[in-house]
Amino acid sequence: MEISSVDVKRSSDQSGRVTHSAAEYVRMSTDHQKYSTENQSQEIREYALRRGFKIEKTYADSGKSGLNLDGRDALKQLIDDVQSGNAQFSIIIVYDVSRWGRFQDADESAYYEYICKRAGIRVCYCAEQFENDGSPVSTIVKGVKRAMAGEYSRELSVKVFAGQRRLIELGYRQGGPAGYGLRRKLIDQNGAPKTELVRGEHKSIQTDRIILIPGPEQEIETIRFIYESFVAAGKSEAEIATLLNQRGALTDLDRPWTRATVHQILINEKYVGNNVWNRSSCKLKGHRIANPPEKWVRHDKAFEQIIDDETFQAAQKIIGDRAKHYSDEELLDLLRGLLDSHGYLSGIIIDELEIGPSSSAYRSRFGSLVRAYELIGFTPERDYRYIEINRALRRMYPGLIASTIRGIEAIGGMVRQDRDTDLLEVNDEFTASLCLVRSQETSSGTHRWHVRFDMGLRPDITVAVRMNQMNAGILDYYLLPRFDMEASKLRLAEDNGAGLDAYRFDELDALFELAARSQLMEVRHGLGSIY
């Protein structure tokens, strides 16, 4: 391959031979362990030596999926260096087309390569049988390789789904926490019990399996109390949540009970021993979708049941009768009746109606509450529902702080809490501040979350805890580092793109692991002479 001296940055080695400055990009995906970053780098450096290239910089993404750019910080940094003009190299060497990425849209892979080409930087694939020289042959072969890389991920997804489906049908648990009143138990391939897994623990042997077992007696009694109160005593989910909170009971996440958390207990089939999977799915890094019941995968009576079938079915009938289908006009008639009786309408007034649709039903049907109000001729000056939401969030906040501290300590970290500001200092290395962020509906019916950074405390990490659209439970967590957040506030949407969603996590385990890594670094510093 001939490279024009006009197109590349040159330097000289000690022998005086002219060399071309290059960067290497390596990626190891968890589904393809044989291509370790070390092996890729060795092949790349041998290739560079043969071609007279000098590796000036390494970009490495370890254990990252190649389906898209999310989480691939090294590739994002490489593209940013290229676009900003900070790249001190004119060649990028990658092991093969699949290491650049298994993008589901082959054009996305081509786009990132084109960004480099436009900046005068060539991408070379050292293990491919073609020269990436822009010739018609290389263009055709490269296009086929990109399509094959994407197809590999699709085929792998189908195989993984089939394997998971088979395990569910055999009665084994697939992923996720056990939930309140239940625990995960590890068994070997012959069904012999091994140990009970605590939160955050995973199986280490491929042939091991996980089943659900009843948890502590106190939690089991709470679940039975919930069903008895709902079915026999006729209490609502909100009333049951109030009773549980008055008792000082907490959920499995050490948080106060809400209407939503009680409701989830009442509708989940695992309490009658049924193993149900694929209620929702998110394939190939796409959007999560709710699947119809006919696509669910199930194994009835896979686990020991806590609630008997008759009681569970009675609860489902109550919920089903309450959630009858309303026509648009019936929904609006109910809204007019509420307006006549209260003289005003708000989300909280609608949700306080025990027998009838919730405010989310109006949002879903008409696009937004404001639109539903307009259809009955009501113009609100302001929806004061946020006041009740803020009160609930203030009650929830201490429990969130306490559970975060316990999570850090459980993984071996050390944490101190400033009682005045609730700022957490972890391992004497970094500080973290937690903020609960309520969901706000826009006039168009979409949702936004406004994060305000404490510029006085200036924590190293701000943990933005996003509430779901009903503000009834936690949606997800954003771990926002101070050095990447320049403004005093940030507005999050439902989808925020790779730049922000790289900081999004479903659980706080990422913060706990950060605390564990910090502690490991401290140990290594103390044993520096060994390394």
Side-chain angles (χ1 to χ4, degrees):
M1 177 180 63
E2 297 296 329
I3 299 179
S4 169
S5 60
V6 176
D7 297 329
V8 299
K9 297 180 177 66
R10 293 185 170 193
S11 61
S12 298
D13 60 17
Q14 293 179 348
S15 66
R17 184 181 61 177
V18 175
T19 60
H20 303 302
S21 297
E24 61 175 343
Y25 174 73
V26 294
R27 178 180 67 83
M28 181 184 70
S29 58
T30 54
D31 59 7
H32 214 166
Q33 295 294 340
K34 70 176 182 178
Y35 290 125
S36 71
T37 54
E38 293 83 2
N39 291 341
Q40 292 173 55
S41 184
Q42 181 179 349
E43 293 288 336
I44 288 171
R45 289 175 184 273
E46 291 176 359
Y47 174 90
L49 183 63
R50 294 194 302 269
R51 301 296 178 103
F53 303 156
K54 182 180 180 182
I55 304 297
E56 302 282 0
K57 189 166 185 177
T58 297
Y59 297 86
D61 280 320
S62 297
K64 300 297 182 183
S65 167
L67 293 173
N68 54 37
L69 211 58
D70 290 349
R72 296 174 66 185
D73 295 336
L75 183 57
K76 286 191 286 188
Q77 184 62 55
L78 187 156
I79 299 298
D80 185 64
D81 288 346
V82 168
Q83 290 183 305
S84 64
N86 292 328
Q88 299 301 310
F89 47 83
S90 52
I91 300 167
I92 299 169
I93 309 176
V94 190
Y95 183 77
D96 62 15
V97 171
S98 70
R99 296 304 92 195
W100 186 251
R102 297 188 184 278
F103 299 98
Q104 294 305 288
D105 187 341
D107 290 340
E108 184 176 0
S109 178
Y111 169 70
Y112 296 129
E113 184 176 323
Y114 174 72
I115 289 176
C116 300
K117 181 180 179 181
R118 184 176 58 189
I121 299 175
R122 297 186 63 175
V123 178
C124 299
Y125 302 105
C126 72
E128 299 290 3
Q129 299 302 309
F130 64 89
E131 293 287 358
N132 193 20
D133 55 6
S135 65
V137 172
S138 71
T139 301
I140 292 172
V141 174
K142 188 167 53 176
V144 172
K145 288 275 189 176
R146 287 170 178 157
M148 290 171 60
E151 185 60 28
Y152 170 84
S153 294
R154 285 189 285 271
E155 291 178 355
L156 183 64
S157 175
V158 171
K159 292 176 181 177
V160 169
F161 179 84
Q164 290 176 314
R165 180 188 185 108
R166 177 60 178 160
L167 290 175
I168 290 295
E169 290 172 343
L170 290 172
Y172 299 124
R173 175 76 172 176
Q174 283 291 293
Y180 189 82
L182 296 165
R183 295 295 185 269
R184 296 176 302 146
K185 189 169 187 177
L186 194 66
I187 61 175
D188 65 20
Q189 58 185 336
N190 299 316
K194 297 182 71 173
T195 186
E196 185 177 306
L197 298 175
V198 301
R199 185 175 178 82
E201 287 185 340
H202 305 281
K203 68 177 186 178
S204 57
I205 302 176
Q206 187 68 24
T207 55
D208 283 350
R209 298 291 178 252
I210 295 174
I211 60 172
L212 293 184
I213 59 173
E217 188 62 32
Q218 182 179 357
E219 293 186 18
I220 294 174
E221 289 302 320
T222 297
I223 291 172
R224 290 171 177 162
F225 169 78
I226 289 173
Y227 275 89
E228 182 181 353
S229 299
F230 187 73
V231 174
K235 295 186 181 298
S236 67
E237 292 101 320
E239 290 173 330
I240 297 171
T242 299
L243 290 173
L244 291 173
N245 291 330
Q246 288 174 350
R247 293 180 174 187
L250 296 173
T251 68
D252 54 318
L253 299 178
D254 292 330
R255 297 167 186 161
W257 289 88
T258 65
R259 181 187 183 280
T261 51
V262 171
H263 184 73
Q264 286 301 311
I265 296 288
L266 289 168
I267 64 173
N268 203 311
E269 292 188 50
K270 62 188 176 185
Y271 295 111
V272 289
N274 294 345
N275 195 18
V276 184
W277 183 71
N278 201 42
R279 290 174 180 267
S280 64
S281 57
C282 178
K283 295 183 178 180
L284 298 174
K285 302 294 184 178
H287 293 293
R288 182 165 294 279
I289 59 172
N291 294 321
E294 59 267 22
K295 289 189 175 182
W296 296 357
V297 182
R298 60 187 308 124
H299 180 142
D300 292 344
K301 303 307 177 217
F303 314 122
E304 181 180 346
Q305 63 188 106
I306 296 174
I307 299 299
D308 63 84
D309 291 346
E310 184 179 353
T311 302
F312 183 81
Q313 291 304 325
Q316 307 320 298
K317 186 177 188 308
I318 294 171
I319 294 171
D321 291 344
R322 186 181 62 190
K324 61 165 286 190
H325 181 75
Y326 293 91
S327 67
D328 289 359
E329 194 54 42
E330 286 175 328
L331 284 173
L332 295 176
D333 281 343
L334 287 169
L335 208 55
R336 292 187 185 98
L338 282 175
L339 179 60
D340 290 341
S341 61
H342 290 82
Y344 189 83
L345 287 176
S346 69
I348 194 66
I349 290 175
I350 297 171
D351 285 340
E352 283 178 346
L353 186 65
E354 289 296 340
I355 306 299
S358 65
S359 59
S360 62
Y362 286 95
R363 291 188 182 93
S364 176
R365 186 70 63 85
F366 301 106
S368 69
L369 277 180
V370 173
R371 176 56 180 160
Y373 295 160
E374 290 175 352
L375 292 174
I376 64 169
F378 171 66
T379 303
E381 295 179 1
R382 191 173 184 182
D383 187 348
Y384 289 96
R385 185 184 182 192
Y386 77 96
I387 297 176
E388 295 298 326
I389 294 173
N390 286 347
R391 287 175 182 168
L393 295 187
R394 282 194 292 270
R395 291 193 298 267
M396 178 180 176
Y397 186 72
L400 177 64
I401 290 286
S403 63
T404 302
I405 292 174
R406 284 194 294 272
I408 293 173
E409 292 176 340
I411 206 166
M414 180 183 69
V415 58
R416 286 194 298 271
Q417 176 189 4
D418 187 314
R419 295 295 179 181
D420 294 327
T421 64
D422 285 326
L423 185 71
L424 304 181
E425 185 173 353
V426 182
N427 295 336
D428 291 323
E429 292 181 351
F430 68 90
T431 56
S433 177
L434 279 70
C435 62
L436 284 164
V437 188
R438 66 184 177 92
S439 172
Q440 302 180 48
E441 185 179 24
T442 67
S443 58
S444 63
T446 60
H447 290 260
R448 295 291 183 269
W449 292 262
H450 297 275
V451 182
R452 289 179 173 82
F453 298 104
D454 194 320
M455 305 308 288
L457 290 178
R458 292 182 62 78
D460 296 311
I461 298 175
T462 296
V463 182
V465 184
R466 290 205 306 178
M467 302 299 291
N468 60 23
Q469 294 182 354
M470 293 297 296
N471 287 296
I474 293 177
L475 175 65
D476 53 26
Y477 304 84
Y478 276 75
L479 271 58
L480 304 170
R482 185 180 67 197
F483 58 81
D484 275 358
M485 304 298 141
E486 299 176 354
S488 61
K489 56 186 177 181
L490 174 69
R491 188 177 73 166
L492 295 173
E494 294 171 0
D495 293 302
N496 300 285
L500 277 174
D501 281 346
Y503 299 115
R504 192 194 74 80
F505 300 91
D506 291 328
E507 301 288 344
L508 264 182
D509 292 348
L511 179 65
F512 303 153
E513 291 169 5
L514 182 62
R517 283 199 297 269
S518 296
Q519 188 186 45
L520 181 60
M521 288 171 61
E522 184 176 321
V523 172
R524 284 184 174 176
H525 288 319
L527 302 176
S529 59
I530 296 177
Y531 292 88

